[in-house]
PDB file of all heavy atoms in Angstrom:
ATOM      1  N   LEU A   1     -12.245 -32.530 -10.769  1.00  0.00           N
ATOM      2  CA  LEU A   1     -11.962 -33.888 -11.204  1.00  0.00           C
ATOM      3  C   LEU A   1     -12.763 -34.191 -12.464  1.00  0.00           C
ATOM      4  O   LEU A   1     -13.985 -34.292 -12.441  1.00  0.00           O
ATOM      5  CB  LEU A   1     -12.332 -34.877 -10.092  1.00  0.00           C
ATOM      6  CG  LEU A   1     -12.000 -36.352 -10.344  1.00  0.00           C
ATOM      7  CD1 LEU A   1     -10.488 -36.561 -10.393  1.00  0.00           C
ATOM      8  CD2 LEU A   1     -12.635 -37.233  -9.276  1.00  0.00           C
ATOM      9  N   THR A   2     -12.081 -34.350 -13.582  1.00  0.00           N
ATOM     10  CA  THR A   2     -12.718 -34.598 -14.870  1.00  0.00           C
ATOM     11  C   THR A   2     -11.929 -35.674 -15.611  1.00  0.00           C
ATOM     12  O   THR A   2     -10.788 -35.973 -15.247  1.00  0.00           O
ATOM     13  CB  THR A   2     -12.731 -33.329 -15.739  1.00  0.00           C
ATOM     14  OG1 THR A   2     -11.365 -32.972 -16.051  1.00  0.00           O
ATOM     15  CG2 THR A   2     -13.423 -32.172 -15.032  1.00  0.00           C
ATOM     16  N   PRO A   3     -12.499 -36.267 -16.648  1.00  0.00           N
ATOM     17  CA  PRO A   3     -11.717 -37.224 -17.445  1.00  0.00           C
ATOM     18  C   PRO A   3     -10.397 -36.648 -17.935  1.00  0.00           C
ATOM     19  O   PRO A   3      -9.380 -37.355 -17.965  1.00  0.00           O
ATOM     20  CB  PRO A   3     -12.670 -37.550 -18.601  1.00  0.00           C
ATOM     21  CG  PRO A   3     -14.030 -37.410 -17.993  1.00  0.00           C
ATOM     22  CD  PRO A   3     -13.913 -36.229 -17.071  1.00  0.00           C
ATOM     23  N   ALA A   4     -10.391 -35.371 -18.294  1.00  0.00           N
ATOM     24  CA  ALA A   4      -9.152 -34.771 -18.802  1.00  0.00           C
ATOM     25  C   ALA A   4      -8.079 -34.701 -17.721  1.00  0.00           C
ATOM     26  O   ALA A   4      -6.906 -35.016 -17.969  1.00  0.00           O
ATOM     27  CB  ALA A   4      -9.443 -33.373 -19.350  1.00  0.00           C
ATOM     28  N   THR A   5      -8.459 -34.286 -16.492  1.00  0.00           N
ATOM     29  CA  THR A   5      -7.467 -34.183 -15.420  1.00  0.00           C
ATOM     30  C   THR A   5      -7.000 -35.574 -14.977  1.00  0.00           C
ATOM     31  O   THR A   5      -5.834 -35.757 -14.626  1.00  0.00           O
ATOM     32  CB  THR A   5      -8.027 -33.419 -14.215  1.00  0.00           C
ATOM     33  OG1 THR A   5      -9.193 -34.092 -13.701  1.00  0.00           O
ATOM     34  CG2 THR A   5      -8.410 -31.999 -14.605  1.00  0.00           C
ATOM     35  N   ILE A   6      -7.895 -36.540 -14.994  1.00  0.00           N
ATOM     36  CA  ILE A   6      -7.520 -37.918 -14.634  1.00  0.00           C
ATOM     37  C   ILE A   6      -6.538 -38.480 -15.652  1.00  0.00           C
ATOM     38  O   ILE A   6      -5.519 -39.086 -15.302  1.00  0.00           O
ATOM     39  CB  ILE A   6      -8.774 -38.807 -14.541  1.00  0.00           C
ATOM     40  CG1 ILE A   6      -9.675 -38.335 -13.397  1.00  0.00           C
ATOM     41  CG2 ILE A   6      -8.388 -40.272 -14.340  1.00  0.00           C
ATOM     42  CD1 ILE A   6     -11.061 -38.942 -13.416  1.00  0.00           C
ATOM     43  N   ALA A   7      -6.836 -38.285 -16.926  1.00  0.00           N
ATOM     44  CA  ALA A   7      -5.945 -38.781 -17.976  1.00  0.00           C
ATOM     45  C   ALA A   7      -4.571 -38.129 -17.870  1.00  0.00           C
ATOM     46  O   ALA A   7      -3.535 -38.815 -17.985  1.00  0.00           O
ATOM     47  CB  ALA A   7      -6.566 -38.517 -19.345  1.00  0.00           C
ATOM     48  N   ALA A   8      -4.546 -36.826 -17.631  1.00  0.00           N
ATOM     49  CA  ALA A   8      -3.268 -36.116 -17.531  1.00  0.00           C
ATOM     50  C   ALA A   8      -2.450 -36.627 -16.349  1.00  0.00           C
ATOM     51  O   ALA A   8      -1.222 -36.781 -16.452  1.00  0.00           O
ATOM     52  CB  ALA A   8      -3.515 -34.620 -17.389  1.00  0.00           C
ATOM     53  N   ALA A   9      -3.119 -36.915 -15.228  1.00  0.00           N
ATOM     54  CA  ALA A   9      -2.413 -37.398 -14.041  1.00  0.00           C
ATOM     55  C   ALA A   9      -1.775 -38.761 -14.267  1.00  0.00           C
ATOM     56  O   ALA A   9      -0.822 -39.131 -13.573  1.00  0.00           O
ATOM     57  CB  ALA A   9      -3.363 -37.455 -12.846  1.00  0.00           C
ATOM     58  N   HIS A  10      -2.298 -39.525 -15.247  1.00  0.00           N
ATOM     59  CA  HIS A  10      -1.776 -40.865 -15.505  1.00  0.00           C
ATOM     60  C   HIS A  10      -1.046 -40.960 -16.849  1.00  0.00           C
ATOM     61  O   HIS A  10      -0.736 -42.054 -17.321  1.00  0.00           O
ATOM     62  CB  HIS A  10      -2.913 -41.889 -15.439  1.00  0.00           C
ATOM     63  CG  HIS A  10      -3.455 -42.059 -14.056  1.00  0.00           C
ATOM     64  ND1 HIS A  10      -4.407 -41.207 -13.536  1.00  0.00           N
ATOM     65  CD2 HIS A  10      -3.153 -42.952 -13.075  1.00  0.00           C
ATOM     66  CE1 HIS A  10      -4.676 -41.580 -12.289  1.00  0.00           C
ATOM     67  NE2 HIS A  10      -3.937 -42.612 -11.993  1.00  0.00           N
ATOM     68  N   HIS A  11      -0.806 -39.781 -17.451  1.00  0.00           N
ATOM     69  CA  HIS A  11       0.001 -39.691 -18.672  1.00  0.00           C
ATOM     70  C   HIS A  11      -0.570 -40.543 -19.807  1.00  0.00           C
ATOM     71  O   HIS A  11       0.159 -41.238 -20.524  1.00  0.00           O
ATOM     72  CB  HIS A  11       1.457 -40.094 -18.377  1.00  0.00           C
ATOM     73  CG  HIS A  11       2.040 -39.402 -17.200  1.00  0.00           C
ATOM     74  ND1 HIS A  11       2.360 -38.059 -17.205  1.00  0.00           N
ATOM     75  CD2 HIS A  11       2.339 -39.857 -15.939  1.00  0.00           C
ATOM     76  CE1 HIS A  11       2.847 -37.708 -16.028  1.00  0.00           C
ATOM     77  NE2 HIS A  11       2.837 -38.775 -15.242  1.00  0.00           N
ATOM     78  N   ILE A  12      -1.882 -40.491 -19.937  1.00  0.00           N
ATOM     79  CA  ILE A  12      -2.553 -41.172 -21.043  1.00  0.00           C
ATOM     80  C   ILE A  12      -3.503 -40.180 -21.693  1.00  0.00           C
ATOM     81  O   ILE A  12      -3.816 -39.126 -21.134  1.00  0.00           O
ATOM     82  CB  ILE A  12      -3.346 -42.419 -20.572  1.00  0.00           C
ATOM     83  CG1 ILE A  12      -4.408 -42.028 -19.540  1.00  0.00           C
ATOM     84  CG2 ILE A  12      -2.403 -43.475 -20.003  1.00  0.00           C
ATOM     85  CD1 ILE A  12      -5.297 -43.183 -19.107  1.00  0.00           C
ATOM     86  N   SER A  13      -3.993 -40.517 -22.873  1.00  0.00           N
ATOM     87  CA  SER A  13      -4.943 -39.639 -23.552  1.00  0.00           C
ATOM     88  C   SER A  13      -6.343 -39.840 -22.972  1.00  0.00           C
ATOM     89  O   SER A  13      -6.659 -40.895 -22.397  1.00  0.00           O
ATOM     90  CB  SER A  13      -4.971 -39.941 -25.055  1.00  0.00           C
ATOM     91  OG  SER A  13      -5.524 -41.230 -25.284  1.00  0.00           O
ATOM     92  N   THR A  14      -7.179 -38.831 -23.137  1.00  0.00           N
ATOM     93  CA  THR A  14      -8.559 -38.940 -22.656  1.00  0.00           C
ATOM     94  C   THR A  14      -9.298 -40.047 -23.396  1.00  0.00           C
ATOM     95  O   THR A  14     -10.094 -40.785 -22.800  1.00  0.00           O
ATOM     96  CB  THR A  14      -9.291 -37.601 -22.839  1.00  0.00           C
ATOM     97  OG1 THR A  14      -8.555 -36.563 -22.187  1.00  0.00           O
ATOM     98  CG2 THR A  14     -10.687 -37.656 -22.240  1.00  0.00           C
ATOM     99  N   SER A  15      -9.032 -40.204 -24.669  1.00  0.00           N
ATOM    100  CA  SER A  15      -9.712 -41.255 -25.427  1.00  0.00           C
ATOM    101  C   SER A  15      -9.323 -42.640 -24.918  1.00  0.00           C
ATOM    102  O   SER A  15     -10.171 -43.546 -24.828  1.00  0.00           O
ATOM    103  CB  SER A  15      -9.387 -41.128 -26.922  1.00  0.00           C
ATOM    104  OG  SER A  15      -7.989 -41.254 -27.149  1.00  0.00           O
ATOM    105  N   TYR A  16      -8.040 -42.820 -24.548  1.00  0.00           N
ATOM    106  CA  TYR A  16      -7.628 -44.119 -24.005  1.00  0.00           C
ATOM    107  C   TYR A  16      -8.271 -44.362 -22.637  1.00  0.00           C
ATOM    108  O   TYR A  16      -8.668 -45.485 -22.307  1.00  0.00           O
ATOM    109  CB  TYR A  16      -6.116 -44.199 -23.892  1.00  0.00           C
ATOM    110  CG  TYR A  16      -5.620 -45.559 -23.433  1.00  0.00           C
ATOM    111  CD1 TYR A  16      -5.875 -46.698 -24.188  1.00  0.00           C
ATOM    112  CD2 TYR A  16      -4.914 -45.703 -22.246  1.00  0.00           C
ATOM    113  CE1 TYR A  16      -5.441 -47.946 -23.780  1.00  0.00           C
ATOM    114  CE2 TYR A  16      -4.478 -46.947 -21.826  1.00  0.00           C
ATOM    115  CZ  TYR A  16      -4.743 -48.060 -22.595  1.00  0.00           C
ATOM    116  OH  TYR A  16      -4.315 -49.302 -22.183  1.00  0.00           O
ATOM    117  N   LEU A  17      -8.395 -43.313 -21.837  1.00  0.00           N
ATOM    118  CA  LEU A  17      -9.085 -43.431 -20.541  1.00  0.00           C
ATOM    119  C   LEU A  17     -10.509 -43.943 -20.739  1.00  0.00           C
ATOM    120  O   LEU A  17     -10.967 -44.842 -20.025  1.00  0.00           O
ATOM    121  CB  LEU A  17      -9.098 -42.078 -19.832  1.00  0.00           C
ATOM    122  CG  LEU A  17      -9.899 -42.019 -18.526  1.00  0.00           C
ATOM    123  CD1 LEU A  17      -9.252 -42.883 -17.446  1.00  0.00           C
ATOM    124  CD2 LEU A  17     -10.031 -40.570 -18.045  1.00  0.00           C
ATOM    125  N   HIS A  18     -11.210 -43.366 -21.700  1.00  0.00           N
ATOM    126  CA  HIS A  18     -12.587 -43.819 -21.953  1.00  0.00           C
ATOM    127  C   HIS A  18     -12.614 -45.269 -22.417  1.00  0.00           C
ATOM    128  O   HIS A  18     -13.533 -46.020 -22.048  1.00  0.00           O
ATOM    129  CB  HIS A  18     -13.248 -42.910 -22.993  1.00  0.00           C
ATOM    130  CG  HIS A  18     -13.574 -41.538 -22.477  1.00  0.00           C
ATOM    131  ND1 HIS A  18     -14.381 -41.338 -21.386  1.00  0.00           N
ATOM    132  CD2 HIS A  18     -13.207 -40.299 -22.915  1.00  0.00           C
ATOM    133  CE1 HIS A  18     -14.508 -40.028 -21.160  1.00  0.00           C
ATOM    134  NE2 HIS A  18     -13.796 -39.380 -22.075  1.00  0.00           N
ATOM    135  N   ARG A  19     -11.625 -45.687 -23.190  1.00  0.00           N
ATOM    136  CA  ARG A  19     -11.579 -47.090 -23.623  1.00  0.00           C
ATOM    137  C   ARG A  19     -11.362 -48.024 -22.434  1.00  0.00           C
ATOM    138  O   ARG A  19     -11.935 -49.118 -22.382  1.00  0.00           O
ATOM    139  CB  ARG A  19     -10.473 -47.292 -24.664  1.00  0.00           C
ATOM    140  CG  ARG A  19     -10.788 -46.677 -26.019  1.00  0.00           C
ATOM    141  CD  ARG A  19      -9.948 -47.295 -27.127  1.00  0.00           C
ATOM    142  NE  ARG A  19      -8.518 -47.117 -26.940  1.00  0.00           N
ATOM    143  CZ  ARG A  19      -7.836 -46.047 -27.336  1.00  0.00           C
ATOM    144  NH1 ARG A  19      -8.473 -45.038 -27.939  1.00  0.00           N
ATOM    145  NH2 ARG A  19      -6.531 -45.963 -27.148  1.00  0.00           N
ATOM    146  N   LEU A  20     -10.556 -47.593 -21.467  1.00  0.00           N
ATOM    147  CA  LEU A  20     -10.321 -48.415 -20.283  1.00  0.00           C
ATOM    148  C   LEU A  20     -11.614 -48.686 -19.518  1.00  0.00           C
ATOM    149  O   LEU A  20     -11.784 -49.751 -18.917  1.00  0.00           O
ATOM    150  CB  LEU A  20      -9.315 -47.731 -19.351  1.00  0.00           C
ATOM    151  CG  LEU A  20      -7.859 -47.686 -19.791  1.00  0.00           C
ATOM    152  CD1 LEU A  20      -7.033 -46.853 -18.816  1.00  0.00           C
ATOM    153  CD2 LEU A  20      -7.273 -49.085 -19.903  1.00  0.00           C
ATOM    154  N   PHE A  21     -12.527 -47.736 -19.538  1.00  0.00           N
ATOM    155  CA  PHE A  21     -13.747 -47.859 -18.744  1.00  0.00           C
ATOM    156  C   PHE A  21     -14.886 -48.543 -19.501  1.00  0.00           C
ATOM    157  O   PHE A  21     -15.979 -48.680 -18.953  1.00  0.00           O
ATOM    158  CB  PHE A  21     -14.199 -46.482 -18.245  1.00  0.00           C
ATOM    159  CG  PHE A  21     -13.550 -46.089 -16.941  1.00  0.00           C
ATOM    160  CD1 PHE A  21     -12.218 -45.723 -16.891  1.00  0.00           C
ATOM    161  CD2 PHE A  21     -14.274 -46.117 -15.758  1.00  0.00           C
ATOM    162  CE1 PHE A  21     -11.611 -45.380 -15.688  1.00  0.00           C
ATOM    163  CE2 PHE A  21     -13.686 -45.776 -14.550  1.00  0.00           C
ATOM    164  CZ  PHE A  21     -12.349 -45.402 -14.521  1.00  0.00           C
ATOM    165  N   ARG A  22     -14.638 -48.984 -20.718  1.00  0.00           N
ATOM    166  CA  ARG A  22     -15.699 -49.667 -21.454  1.00  0.00           C
ATOM    167  C   ARG A  22     -16.135 -50.952 -20.757  1.00  0.00           C
ATOM    168  O   ARG A  22     -17.292 -51.364 -20.869  1.00  0.00           O
ATOM    169  CB  ARG A  22     -15.229 -49.986 -22.874  1.00  0.00           C
ATOM    170  CG  ARG A  22     -15.191 -48.770 -23.781  1.00  0.00           C
ATOM    171  CD  ARG A  22     -14.643 -49.144 -25.151  1.00  0.00           C
ATOM    172  NE  ARG A  22     -14.532 -47.969 -26.007  1.00  0.00           N
ATOM    173  CZ  ARG A  22     -13.904 -47.954 -27.174  1.00  0.00           C
ATOM    174  NH1 ARG A  22     -13.325 -49.075 -27.615  1.00  0.00           N
ATOM    175  NH2 ARG A  22     -13.842 -46.862 -27.885  1.00  0.00           N
ATOM    176  N   ASP A  23     -15.231 -51.600 -20.020  1.00  0.00           N
ATOM    177  CA  ASP A  23     -15.570 -52.838 -19.326  1.00  0.00           C
ATOM    178  C   ASP A  23     -16.157 -52.591 -17.937  1.00  0.00           C
ATOM    179  O   ASP A  23     -16.466 -53.548 -17.225  1.00  0.00           O
ATOM    180  CB  ASP A  23     -14.321 -53.728 -19.181  1.00  0.00           C
ATOM    181  CG  ASP A  23     -13.793 -54.196 -20.524  1.00  0.00           C
ATOM    182  OD1 ASP A  23     -14.599 -54.281 -21.465  1.00  0.00           O
ATOM    183  OD2 ASP A  23     -12.584 -54.462 -20.621  1.00  0.00           O
ATOM    184  N   GLU A  24     -16.310 -51.337 -17.539  1.00  0.00           N
ATOM    185  CA  GLU A  24     -16.805 -51.024 -16.198  1.00  0.00           C
ATOM    186  C   GLU A  24     -18.310 -50.760 -16.167  1.00  0.00           C
ATOM    187  O   GLU A  24     -18.853 -50.386 -15.142  1.00  0.00           O
ATOM    188  CB  GLU A  24     -16.070 -49.783 -15.641  1.00  0.00           C
ATOM    189  CG  GLU A  24     -14.570 -49.922 -15.606  1.00  0.00           C
ATOM    190  CD  GLU A  24     -14.133 -51.129 -14.785  1.00  0.00           C
ATOM    191  OE1 GLU A  24     -14.670 -51.324 -13.690  1.00  0.00           O
ATOM    192  OE2 GLU A  24     -13.257 -51.874 -15.271  1.00  0.00           O
ATOM    193  N   ASP A  25     -18.987 -50.969 -17.283  1.00  0.00           N
ATOM    194  CA  ASP A  25     -20.435 -50.745 -17.358  1.00  0.00           C
ATOM    195  C   ASP A  25     -20.799 -49.311 -16.979  1.00  0.00           C
ATOM    196  O   ASP A  25     -21.859 -49.052 -16.407  1.00  0.00           O
ATOM    197  CB  ASP A  25     -21.179 -51.729 -16.455  1.00  0.00           C
ATOM    198  CG  ASP A  25     -22.684 -51.735 -16.726  1.00  0.00           C
ATOM    199  OD1 ASP A  25     -23.062 -51.472 -17.881  1.00  0.00           O
ATOM    200  OD2 ASP A  25     -23.462 -51.998 -15.788  1.00  0.00           O
ATOM    201  N   ALA A  26     -19.913 -48.372 -17.273  1.00  0.00           N
ATOM    202  CA  ALA A  26     -20.160 -46.958 -16.978  1.00  0.00           C
ATOM    203  C   ALA A  26     -19.088 -46.136 -17.660  1.00  0.00           C
ATOM    204  O   ALA A  26     -17.934 -46.578 -17.798  1.00  0.00           O
ATOM    205  CB  ALA A  26     -20.132 -46.694 -15.469  1.00  0.00           C
ATOM    206  N   THR A  27     -19.456 -44.935 -18.098  1.00  0.00           N
ATOM    207  CA  THR A  27     -18.452 -44.013 -18.594  1.00  0.00           C
ATOM    208  C   THR A  27     -17.639 -43.495 -17.414  1.00  0.00           C
ATOM    209  O   THR A  27     -17.988 -43.722 -16.251  1.00  0.00           O
ATOM    210  CB  THR A  27     -19.104 -42.834 -19.317  1.00  0.00           C
ATOM    211  OG1 THR A  27     -19.857 -42.064 -18.354  1.00  0.00           O
ATOM    212  CG2 THR A  27     -20.031 -43.301 -20.424  1.00  0.00           C
ATOM    213  N   VAL A  28     -16.552 -42.802 -17.706  1.00  0.00           N
ATOM    214  CA  VAL A  28     -15.736 -42.247 -16.626  1.00  0.00           C
ATOM    215  C   VAL A  28     -16.569 -41.311 -15.761  1.00  0.00           C
ATOM    216  O   VAL A  28     -16.554 -41.386 -14.522  1.00  0.00           O
ATOM    217  CB  VAL A  28     -14.511 -41.501 -17.184  1.00  0.00           C
ATOM    218  CG1 VAL A  28     -13.672 -40.923 -16.051  1.00  0.00           C
ATOM    219  CG2 VAL A  28     -13.674 -42.413 -18.065  1.00  0.00           C
ATOM    220  N   ALA A  29     -17.325 -40.416 -16.403  1.00  0.00           N
ATOM    221  CA  ALA A  29     -18.144 -39.466 -15.651  1.00  0.00           C
ATOM    222  C   ALA A  29     -19.197 -40.184 -14.812  1.00  0.00           C
ATOM    223  O   ALA A  29     -19.469 -39.797 -13.665  1.00  0.00           O
ATOM    224  CB  ALA A  29     -18.808 -38.474 -16.613  1.00  0.00           C
ATOM    225  N   GLU A  30     -19.797 -41.227 -15.367  1.00  0.00           N
ATOM    226  CA  GLU A  30     -20.796 -41.985 -14.610  1.00  0.00           C
ATOM    227  C   GLU A  30     -20.162 -42.701 -13.423  1.00  0.00           C
ATOM    228  O   GLU A  30     -20.759 -42.768 -12.342  1.00  0.00           O
ATOM    229  CB  GLU A  30     -21.485 -43.002 -15.526  1.00  0.00           C
ATOM    230  CG  GLU A  30     -22.436 -42.379 -16.538  1.00  0.00           C
ATOM    231  CD  GLU A  30     -22.897 -43.383 -17.589  1.00  0.00           C
ATOM    232  OE1 GLU A  30     -22.274 -44.467 -17.707  1.00  0.00           O
ATOM    233  OE2 GLU A  30     -23.871 -43.076 -18.297  1.00  0.00           O
ATOM    234  N   TRP A  31     -18.961 -43.217 -13.610  1.00  0.00           N
ATOM    235  CA  TRP A  31     -18.280 -43.913 -12.520  1.00  0.00           C
ATOM    236  C   TRP A  31     -17.975 -42.945 -11.389  1.00  0.00           C
ATOM    237  O   TRP A  31     -18.168 -43.272 -10.206  1.00  0.00           O
ATOM    238  CB  TRP A  31     -16.992 -44.547 -13.053  1.00  0.00           C
ATOM    239  CG  TRP A  31     -16.495 -45.703 -12.244  1.00  0.00           C
ATOM    240  CD1 TRP A  31     -16.800 -47.020 -12.422  1.00  0.00           C
ATOM    241  CD2 TRP A  31     -15.594 -45.643 -11.134  1.00  0.00           C
ATOM    242  NE1 TRP A  31     -16.156 -47.786 -11.480  1.00  0.00           N
ATOM    243  CE2 TRP A  31     -15.409 -46.975 -10.680  1.00  0.00           C
ATOM    244  CE3 TRP A  31     -14.938 -44.608 -10.475  1.00  0.00           C
ATOM    245  CZ2 TRP A  31     -14.582 -47.281  -9.599  1.00  0.00           C
ATOM    246  CZ3 TRP A  31     -14.116 -44.921  -9.386  1.00  0.00           C
ATOM    247  CH2 TRP A  31     -13.945 -46.245  -8.965  1.00  0.00           C
ATOM    248  N   ILE A  32     -17.522 -41.735 -11.734  1.00  0.00           N
ATOM    249  CA  ILE A  32     -17.264 -40.712 -10.715  1.00  0.00           C
ATOM    250  C   ILE A  32     -18.554 -40.354  -9.994  1.00  0.00           C
ATOM    251  O   ILE A  32     -18.596 -40.251  -8.756  1.00  0.00           O
ATOM    252  CB  ILE A  32     -16.643 -39.456 -11.364  1.00  0.00           C
ATOM    253  CG1 ILE A  32     -15.259 -39.776 -11.930  1.00  0.00           C
ATOM    254  CG2 ILE A  32     -16.557 -38.315 -10.357  1.00  0.00           C
ATOM    255  CD1 ILE A  32     -14.666 -38.655 -12.762  1.00  0.00           C
ATOM    256  N   ARG A  33     -19.636 -40.157 -10.751  1.00  0.00           N
ATOM    257  CA  ARG A  33     -20.913 -39.777 -10.141  1.00  0.00           C
ATOM    258  C   ARG A  33     -21.404 -40.849  -9.177  1.00  0.00           C
ATOM    259  O   ARG A  33     -21.890 -40.544  -8.085  1.00  0.00           O
ATOM    260  CB  ARG A  33     -21.965 -39.527 -11.228  1.00  0.00           C
ATOM    261  CG  ARG A  33     -23.271 -38.938 -10.681  1.00  0.00           C
ATOM    262  CD  ARG A  33     -24.311 -38.765 -11.756  1.00  0.00           C
ATOM    263  NE  ARG A  33     -23.806 -38.005 -12.893  1.00  0.00           N
ATOM    264  CZ  ARG A  33     -23.604 -38.512 -14.106  1.00  0.00           C
ATOM    265  NH1 ARG A  33     -23.872 -39.781 -14.352  1.00  0.00           N
ATOM    266  NH2 ARG A  33     -23.154 -37.756 -15.072  1.00  0.00           N
ATOM    267  N   ARG A  34     -21.262 -42.106  -9.541  1.00  0.00           N
ATOM    268  CA  ARG A  34     -21.699 -43.193  -8.651  1.00  0.00           C
ATOM    269  C   ARG A  34     -20.918 -43.188  -7.353  1.00  0.00           C
ATOM    270  O   ARG A  34     -21.490 -43.358  -6.266  1.00  0.00           O
ATOM    271  CB  ARG A  34     -21.528 -44.552  -9.353  1.00  0.00           C
ATOM    272  CG  ARG A  34     -22.503 -44.802 -10.488  1.00  0.00           C
ATOM    273  CD  ARG A  34     -22.204 -46.141 -11.150  1.00  0.00           C
ATOM    274  NE  ARG A  34     -23.024 -46.358 -12.332  1.00  0.00           N
ATOM    275  CZ  ARG A  34     -22.905 -47.415 -13.129  1.00  0.00           C
ATOM    276  NH1 ARG A  34     -22.000 -48.351 -12.851  1.00  0.00           N
ATOM    277  NH2 ARG A  34     -23.696 -47.554 -14.191  1.00  0.00           N
ATOM    278  N   ARG A  35     -19.592 -43.023  -7.437  1.00  0.00           N
ATOM    279  CA  ARG A  35     -18.785 -43.018  -6.222  1.00  0.00           C
ATOM    280  C   ARG A  35     -19.134 -41.810  -5.347  1.00  0.00           C
ATOM    281  O   ARG A  35     -19.157 -41.916  -4.119  1.00  0.00           O
ATOM    282  CB  ARG A  35     -17.293 -42.980  -6.576  1.00  0.00           C
ATOM    283  CG  ARG A  35     -16.795 -44.098  -7.470  1.00  0.00           C
ATOM    284  CD  ARG A  35     -16.803 -45.467  -6.817  1.00  0.00           C
ATOM    285  NE  ARG A  35     -18.067 -46.148  -6.919  1.00  0.00           N
ATOM    286  CZ  ARG A  35     -18.529 -46.746  -8.029  1.00  0.00           C
ATOM    287  NH1 ARG A  35     -17.840 -46.720  -9.149  1.00  0.00           N
ATOM    288  NH2 ARG A  35     -19.685 -47.379  -8.012  1.00  0.00           N
ATOM    289  N   ARG A  36     -19.408 -40.670  -5.967  1.00  0.00           N
ATOM    290  CA  ARG A  36     -19.776 -39.489  -5.185  1.00  0.00           C
ATOM    291  C   ARG A  36     -21.138 -39.677  -4.519  1.00  0.00           C
ATOM    292  O   ARG A  36     -21.334 -39.291  -3.362  1.00  0.00           O
ATOM    293  CB  ARG A  36     -19.780 -38.261  -6.101  1.00  0.00           C
ATOM    294  CG  ARG A  36     -18.387 -37.745  -6.417  1.00  0.00           C
ATOM    295  CD  ARG A  36     -18.397 -36.611  -7.407  1.00  0.00           C
ATOM    296  NE  ARG A  36     -17.111 -35.901  -7.406  1.00  0.00           N
ATOM    297  CZ  ARG A  36     -16.739 -35.031  -8.324  1.00  0.00           C
ATOM    298  NH1 ARG A  36     -17.540 -34.768  -9.356  1.00  0.00           N
ATOM    299  NH2 ARG A  36     -15.569 -34.426  -8.231  1.00  0.00           N
ATOM    300  N   LEU A  37     -22.090 -40.277  -5.223  1.00  0.00           N
ATOM    301  CA  LEU A  37     -23.397 -40.542  -4.627  1.00  0.00           C
ATOM    302  C   LEU A  37     -23.277 -41.531  -3.472  1.00  0.00           C
ATOM    303  O   LEU A  37     -23.946 -41.370  -2.443  1.00  0.00           O
ATOM    304  CB  LEU A  37     -24.357 -41.074  -5.701  1.00  0.00           C
ATOM    305  CG  LEU A  37     -24.892 -40.046  -6.696  1.00  0.00           C
ATOM    306  CD1 LEU A  37     -25.628 -40.743  -7.842  1.00  0.00           C
ATOM    307  CD2 LEU A  37     -25.826 -39.049  -6.000  1.00  0.00           C
ATOM    308  N   GLU A  38     -22.433 -42.547  -3.630  1.00  0.00           N
ATOM    309  CA  GLU A  38     -22.230 -43.506  -2.542  1.00  0.00           C
ATOM    310  C   GLU A  38     -21.651 -42.810  -1.311  1.00  0.00           C
ATOM    311  O   GLU A  38     -22.068 -43.090  -0.174  1.00  0.00           O
ATOM    312  CB  GLU A  38     -21.289 -44.624  -2.997  1.00  0.00           C
ATOM    313  CG  GLU A  38     -21.903 -45.576  -4.010  1.00  0.00           C
ATOM    314  CD  GLU A  38     -20.871 -46.513  -4.620  1.00  0.00           C
ATOM    315  OE1 GLU A  38     -19.675 -46.405  -4.250  1.00  0.00           O
ATOM    316  OE2 GLU A  38     -21.250 -47.357  -5.457  1.00  0.00           O
ATOM    317  N   ALA A  39     -20.689 -41.910  -1.515  1.00  0.00           N
ATOM    318  CA  ALA A  39     -20.083 -41.194  -0.392  1.00  0.00           C
ATOM    319  C   ALA A  39     -21.108 -40.282   0.284  1.00  0.00           C
ATOM    320  O   ALA A  39     -21.187 -40.217   1.517  1.00  0.00           O
ATOM    321  CB  ALA A  39     -18.881 -40.385  -0.877  1.00  0.00           C
ATOM    322  N   ALA A  40     -21.899 -39.576  -0.518  1.00  0.00           N
ATOM    323  CA  ALA A  40     -22.935 -38.715   0.040  1.00  0.00           C
ATOM    324  C   ALA A  40     -23.974 -39.529   0.802  1.00  0.00           C
ATOM    325  O   ALA A  40     -24.450 -39.125   1.876  1.00  0.00           O
ATOM    326  CB  ALA A  40     -23.610 -37.915  -1.079  1.00  0.00           C
TER     327      ALA A  40
END
């Protein structure tokens, strides 16, 4: 699971994916890491 695979699954560019997450107070990778730490 990476920004590239996520973007491809939603038919958008990786750069647009990163722009979507600018309002989430975390990069895509940071958001994934937080959710994984919460699950662990």
Side-chain angles (χ1 to χ4, degrees):
L1 184 67
T2 65
T5 59
I6 295 167
H10 292 84
H11 310 289
I12 59 176
S13 67
T14 305
S15 60
Y16 184 61
L17 175 67
H18 289 302
R19 288 200 299 274
L20 288 174
F21 273 73
R22 285 177 183 169
D23 295 334
E24 304 303 315
D25 192 30
T27 66
V28 180
E30 288 169 345
W31 203 91
I32 295 171
R33 188 183 307 112
R34 289 177 186 176
R35 303 292 86 76
R36 283 175 164 167
L37 285 170
E38 289 170 0

